[in-house]
Amino acid sequence: VNPLDGLRYGPDGCRRVALSPDGRWLVAGLRSGLLARWDLTSPEPSGTSMNPNATDPLRPARDVNVLGFTTDSKTLLSCA
């Protein structure tokens, strides 16, 4: 299984990618404003979609322009 297969996301497209400092998490910011997350320590990594728009989880935010993890890998920061 290739954990990067899900980055294609059709017309949504991948805009930004971040790898956590501990190497566990790979996160892609999509043009729709959604985030896709992979646990690279899993025997079969698979993507999980997340919506960072806390005010309305059903409505994606704008393009994800910045992605980054804190140095302890526990917090992901994103900015549209």
Side-chain angles (χ1 to χ4, degrees):
V1 174
N2 181 350
L4 300 180
D5 280 346
L7 288 177
R8 294 189 183 101
Y9 277 92
D12 238 4
C14 176
R15 184 144 171 89
R16 297 285 183 259
V17 176
L19 179 65
S20 64
D22 64 5
R24 179 177 181 183
W25 301 107
L26 175 68
V27 177
L30 308 178
R31 287 192 176 98
S32 67
L34 297 175
L35 300 175
R37 179 185 67 180
W38 291 265
D39 181 349
L40 300 180
T41 62
S42 172
E44 295 185 23
S46 60
T48 301
S49 292
M50 303 180 295
N51 188 339
N53 186 352
T55 57
D56 183 357
L58 299 177
R59 189 170 143 236
R62 298 174 304 191
D63 288 4
V64 175
N65 292 309
V66 179
L67 275 179
F69 281 91
T70 54
T71 56
D72 64 4
S73 300
K74 293 182 179 181
T75 304
L76 172 71
L77 306 169
S78 69
C79 181

